[in-house]
Amino acid sequence: MESGISRRNALRLGAAVAAGTTAVSSAGVAAADSAAVSSGRVVDADSATPVAPGGGPGASEREWDTPASWQKPEPVDLLVYNGRLVTVDHRFSIEQAMAVRDGLIVAVGPDADLRKRFTGSQEIDLRGQTVLPGFNDAHSHARTFSHRSIGDLQSATSIKAMRDLLAAKTGELGKGKWITGSGYDETIFAEGRKPTRQDLDEGAPDNPVHLYRQGGHSSVANSLALKIAGIDKNTPDPKGGRIERDENGEATGVLVETAGDLVHQHVPSLGPEEEREGTVAGLKSYLRLGITSFTDAMGSVDTFKKWRAIYDELGADLPRASYYVTCTTDIPAGIKPFEGDDRLRAVALKVFADGGFTGPDARLTLPYKGMGDGAFHGHLNLTPDEFLQIFSRATDTGWPVGVHTAGDGAEGIVIDAFAKVLSERPHLDIRHHLMHLEVPLPDEYYDRMAQYGIGVVQQTNFLWSLEGLYDDYLWPVVRRNVAPAGRLIEHGVTLANSSDVIPSGPMTGLYTSVTRRGRSGKRYAYEEERLDLKDAIRAYTIAGAYQTHQEDVKGSLEAGKYADFIVLSHDIFRVHPDHLQGVRVNETYVGGKHVYSRPEKERPSTKGREATMPSGGREGGPEEFVLTGETF
């Protein structure tokens, strides 16, 4: 089978999308005529050569092709034209104009057709700018901004800089107040080591401090926070966690996995109003990245109810949210599968199979390189029988399950359990999936996943942000193919991309998918695992919608779907792959409503043969970008 076709089919987007039709989900949106999905002459994304029109098998002539139909233009809320609209439909066609009414796409097609057929209450000349469907971050963790949190911790490139941030926060809050934060990365620290409690003590000697590392699988606390939590030389490691210790057995302050909970539980809760304001601010922060839909990959029934109240009031100004409810071995009570609406709904259960590499505690088949006596493999949270039990109960109650699996020692066990459960329930479209799958597996596992419709929600941006940890902990035979992507698609596995809690946007995900480069510039399994740009875009749009059973209403720019779209600073198909991180989202629309506009001072220059991103806007990757060799 031709490679491009096999990759498209591998997304397993269902008959409706594959045929170019617009079947509509239970959200209650009326389906549009399939012939309106891909109207007029379209242009292939890789060339300016027109290709045949049509919406797939069975497409008929449009009713508005007759002269009489042009006499009374239809009113719509929004008409955008003179653009380059990357539809991400089944043909990956490129169009010029789009009409929107009541938050839905009415039609997509050539300027000449749509400007005759429609008249908009608002009409926007795109002036040749490139438009994509809004990004769908298929595995993320929404932040709640807090007065006690260090907001720019991820900017620290040394322990000294971390101490300076702590000292500034101490001055802001006063003595005795808790200081929190997340996003530090010791692999980029000038000192070349992890921060310890003594380092934090220097910056904040009179305040309890607890800071989570980028990735969220480990943290560091200062001496006062450890004292409040009762952690000392005699404190045993908690189940599923580890207290790192020095040569004398004393806690260094570094807490791995559940050990962080020993301190976190002592941090005072936010007041209801501050929590609400902080949650709204965190949700809105997605919009500047062009994320119009995201999946919050770890939550509780109580938090879902709090979000429900926020979305009932402010949903039109927020990204669409899919919600995972975390569980261990019991199905959570008080919530039903797919409860909610088009703005917020519960879509799956979250189960942890192992830890992550930021601990490290991912379960590996080979031992970790450079750790202790060479016998450390990480931990597995459940037994194979326990996985079978929870997967069976979830499946029988209608819940898809997403399983955190970072190491191959966990991945294989989870795939086997999923396959057994699904083999006993043939023809069931439940869409269970693995989260992460960072360590490659033998091909027979990928074939089994494709056979039973087991998907992967991955983070190719880990190549950028976790490169140092992969180099430290993984043997070369494992490391060279880390974060497999291309082979998954070639074997027919649905692959959706996402960011997790690494502070980087979709552009870093596209960059790492296409270039397979880490922060150092080194490539990882470029020939075997790279994606072409079309597949990378699909993985960050329609594939994420598919994973939550919403591919019929979002993820592409087609008639009958939500008008969720973004306007880019550059033509993404004309930017050199090594410079993709320099592309910015200038405008974001959700349901046809304009919800974000990038300030002019933060927009990359598009004049001449060089385009420079102003410093200061941190969205993943370097603070400054230079795009050379292209005319924009």
Side-chain angles (χ1 to χ4, degrees):
M1 182 177 293
E2 190 270 323
S3 176
I5 295 176
S6 68
R7 284 173 177 247
R8 280 200 298 272
N9 290 344
L11 290 174
R12 306 171 74 89
L13 300 181
V17 174
T21 60
T22 54
V24 179
S25 76
S26 57
V29 181
D33 186 282
S34 62
V37 172
S38 183
S39 59
R41 290 162 64 83
V42 297
V43 180
D44 184 82
D46 294 328
S47 71
T49 305
V51 297
S60 60
E61 290 300 314
R62 299 164 301 176
E63 72 277 8
W64 60 87
D65 276 340
T66 60
S69 66
W70 302 122
Q71 295 176 6
K72 294 182 179 180
E74 298 178 34
V76 292
D77 301 320
L78 175 64
L79 180 64
V80 297
Y81 62 92
N82 189 24
R84 181 171 166 81
L85 278 63
V86 182
T87 65
V88 195
D89 63 5
H90 73 292
R91 299 169 63 101
F92 217 90
S93 31
I94 307 296
E95 285 291 4
Q96 296 174 310
M98 179 169 63
V100 177
R101 185 192 299 124
D102 296 330
L104 300 177
I105 299 171
V106 177
V108 183
D111 277 345
D113 287 3
L114 267 64
R115 295 194 72 188
K116 289 180 179 178
R117 184 185 174 200
F118 299 103
T119 179
S121 299
Q122 181 183 15
E123 297 190 358
I124 298 175
D125 182 353
L126 293 169
R127 303 185 310 280
Q129 295 177 100
T130 297
V131 172
L132 288 181
F135 290 121
N136 188 331
D137 194 317
H139 179 117
S140 184
H141 298 277
R143 296 177 63 187
T144 296
F145 293 98
S146 163
H147 71 284
R148 66 169 67 101
S149 180
I150 299 176
D152 55 351
L153 184 59
Q154 66 270 19
S155 68
T157 57
S158 66
I159 292 174
K160 179 182 181 302
M162 177 184 280
R163 288 198 298 262
D164 292 343
L165 290 170
L166 282 171
K169 199 66 177 181
T170 298
E172 175 188 331
L173 296 177
K175 293 182 179 181
K177 302 294 185 181
W178 276 87
I179 297 175
T180 60
S182 63
Y184 75 87
D185 180 1
E186 75 277 1
T187 67
I188 65 171
F189 283 174
E191 295 84 356
R193 62 175 177 84
K194 295 179 181 181
T196 65
R197 59 184 174 88
Q198 291 89 350
D199 296 318
L200 273 54
D201 291 345
E202 291 183 30
D206 301 312
N207 296 67
V209 179
H210 188 214
L211 306 176
Y212 274 93
R213 190 205 185 278
Q214 187 181 92
H217 290 275
S218 65
S219 60
V220 61
N222 71 347
S223 297
L224 183 53
L226 293 175
K227 182 178 179 180
I228 292 172
I231 296 175
D232 58 23
K233 188 174 184 177
N234 299 315
T235 304
D237 289 344
K239 180 180 180 181
R242 186 173 73 256
I243 301 169
E244 291 198 358
R245 307 173 193 274
D246 61 21
E247 61 276 8
N248 298 317
E250 299 287 351
T252 66
V254 176
L255 307 168
V256 179
E257 299 294 350
T258 60
D261 297 340
L262 300 177
V263 173
H264 182 71
Q265 64 184 339
H266 294 280
V267 179
S269 299
L270 297 176
E273 187 58 30
E274 183 179 6
E275 181 182 14
R276 181 184 181 282
E277 291 178 0
T279 299
V280 170
L283 293 170
K284 286 186 175 181
S285 69
Y286 284 108
L287 300 174
R288 68 179 286 114
L289 301 175
I291 296 171
T292 58
S293 292
F294 76 98
T295 298
D296 195 78
M298 184 172 68
S300 66
V301 176
D302 287 343
T303 301
F304 180 81
K305 292 178 180 178
K306 292 178 181 178
W307 281 28
R308 179 74 277 161
I310 290 172
Y311 270 86
D312 285 345
E313 180 182 353
L314 303 173
D317 298 315
L318 302 175
R320 303 183 195 276
S322 298
Y323 200 85
Y324 283 54
V325 182
T326 306
C327 68
T328 51
T329 56
D330 296 321
I331 304 299
I335 194 167
K336 298 177 181 178
F338 303 105
E339 179 178 325
D341 56 23
D342 65 314
R343 294 287 176 170
L344 168 67
R345 70 172 183 168
V347 297
L349 301 181
K350 167 75 173 286
V351 173
F352 281 91
D354 62 349
F357 287 101
T358 58
D361 206 29
R363 179 69 175 184
L364 298 179
T365 300
L366 292 176
Y368 278 80
K369 177 171 70 76
M371 286 196 66
D373 59 2
F376 180 66
H377 292 260
H379 293 96
L380 197 64
N381 291 333
L382 299 173
T383 67
D385 284 344
E386 287 173 328
F387 283 123
L388 278 173
Q389 292 170 15
I390 185 62
F391 296 167
S392 295
R393 286 196 291 268
T395 303
D396 291 339
T397 53
W399 278 108
V401 180
V403 186
H404 169 106
T405 51
D408 58 335
E411 295 159 2
I413 290 174
V414 169
I415 292 168
D416 288 343
F418 272 151
K420 179 172 177 55
V421 168
L422 294 171
S423 69
E424 296 170 352
R425 299 158 178 83
H427 313 301
L428 184 65
D429 183 20
I430 193 71
R431 305 185 190 179
H432 294 318
H433 53 281
L434 278 65
M435 299 172 174
H436 311 308
L437 204 151
E438 296 174 63
V439 177
L441 292 167
D443 286 351
E444 55 262 31
Y445 280 101
Y446 302 153
D447 291 335
R448 196 174 311 151
M449 294 172 73
Q451 177 184 357
Y452 291 106
I454 303 166
V456 173
V457 178
Q458 201 177 65
Q459 300 77 32
T460 58
N461 63 322
F462 283 4
L463 289 172
W464 175 273
S465 54
L466 301 186
E467 179 185 28
L469 298 181
Y470 293 148
D471 286 345
D472 287 345
Y473 298 137
L474 297 178
W475 297 99
V477 68
V478 176
R479 186 174 64 240
R480 73 172 304 275
N481 284 81
V482 73
R487 284 196 304 148
L488 285 168
I489 289 181
E490 290 299 341
H491 282 265
V493 179
T494 303
L495 176 69
N497 207 352
S498 60
S499 65
D500 201 353
V501 291
I502 303 300
S504 62
M507 289 304 169
T508 300
L510 297 183
Y511 165 80
T512 49
S513 295
V514 172
T515 68
R516 297 290 299 180
R517 290 191 187 277
R519 191 189 299 269
S520 69
K522 177 183 175 182
R523 293 190 192 272
Y524 290 82
Y526 178 75
E527 294 298 331
E528 303 96 321
E529 303 295 0
R530 71 175 290 272
L531 303 182
D532 63 35
L533 185 54
K534 290 182 183 180
D535 282 338
I537 291 172
R538 288 187 181 102
Y540 239 117
T541 54
I542 190 70
Y546 173 85
Q547 198 59 70
T548 57
H549 294 259
Q550 293 176 294
E551 75 279 7
D552 51 355
V553 294
K554 63 181 182 180
S556 61
L557 303 180
E558 300 181 81
K561 292 193 174 186
Y562 304 137
D564 300 347
F565 64 96
I566 57 178
V567 182
L568 301 181
S569 62
H570 297 84
D571 183 343
I572 198 169
F573 285 98
R574 296 180 64 198
V575 173
H576 190 283
D578 285 344
H579 303 144
L580 280 170
Q581 289 187 93
V583 178
R584 286 291 182 258
V585 175
N586 282 346
E587 314 289 344
T588 303
Y589 292 77
V590 179
K593 181 178 181 179
H594 186 241
V595 292
Y596 172 75
S597 183
R598 181 171 298 280
E600 288 295 331
K601 65 180 181 180
E602 293 184 12
R603 297 191 178 203
S605 165
T606 59
K607 296 179 181 179
R609 294 180 58 81
E610 185 174 279
T612 305
M613 176 64 195
S615 61
R618 185 174 181 83
E619 297 174 41
E623 298 248 348
E624 295 188 14
F625 304 87
V626 177
L627 312 183
T628 58
E630 301 290 340
T631 301
F632 299 104

